[in-house]
Amino acid sequence: FFLMIRRPPRSTQSRSSAASDVYKRQVHGVIAAPQKEVREIEIQTSIEDLRELREAELRKQQLLEEERIRLEEDRRRQEEERKRLEEEERLRREEQKKKKKKKKK
């Protein structure tokens, strides 16, 4: 929504003159929207902007939560893999000890 304010004629020096006031309210020959309507449009636009910002923030929070869950699952899988490898290493060492004992006998 864009209002184009025409300048008063140069012969009208005073900003408070009637001619100046008329020109200030004109938009290409059409009387401009009353200030109350302009303010209502500004407020409505602000409300819509705030809604969009809130929706964007909610989407961001949802993505962050999904990323947190994914990282937590990755960490859990890594921990399970570490435990599995430790158990394999423990069993391998036990097997080596058994082989050494058999050789000594």
Side-chain angles (χ1 to χ4, degrees):
F1 188 80
F2 182 76
L3 293 178
M4 187 90 170
I5 306 297
R6 285 182 49 192
R7 300 188 79 174
R10 296 204 186 276
S11 63
T12 311
Q13 296 299 323
S14 170
R15 290 180 180 256
S16 63
S17 72
S20 176
D21 290 344
V22 168
Y23 277 97
K24 285 180 185 175
R25 290 192 304 268
Q26 287 185 350
V27 180
H28 295 291
V30 177
I31 300 296
Q35 189 63 29
K36 182 180 176 185
E37 290 178 19
V38 171
R39 185 67 184 137
E40 287 174 0
I41 291 169
E42 289 172 348
I43 290 170
Q44 187 62 34
T45 302
S46 296
I47 291 170
E48 290 169 5
D49 290 345
L50 288 172
R51 284 183 183 138
E52 288 175 10
L53 286 172
R54 186 181 69 205
E55 289 172 6
E57 183 63 28
L58 289 173
R59 283 192 301 271
K60 179 181 170 186
Q61 288 176 356
Q62 183 179 8
L63 291 172
L64 287 172
E65 179 64 14
E66 290 171 0
E67 180 68 8
R68 185 193 64 77
I69 290 169
R70 189 187 65 73
L71 289 172
E72 192 174 290
E73 289 172 352
D74 287 349
R75 185 195 55 77
R76 183 185 50 78
R77 277 191 228 101
Q78 288 173 352
E79 182 65 20
E80 288 173 357
E81 180 68 10
R82 184 189 63 79
K83 287 179 180 179
R84 185 187 65 76
L85 292 171
E86 285 176 351
E87 180 65 16
E88 284 180 4
E89 180 66 19
R90 187 188 66 77
L91 292 172
R92 187 185 63 75
R93 286 182 184 162
E94 281 182 10
E95 189 64 33
Q96 285 178 346
K97 284 181 183 178
K98 287 179 184 178
K99 285 181 181 178
K100 282 182 182 179
K101 282 184 182 180
K102 280 184 181 180
K103 281 185 178 179
K104 285 183 180 180
K105 289 184 181 182

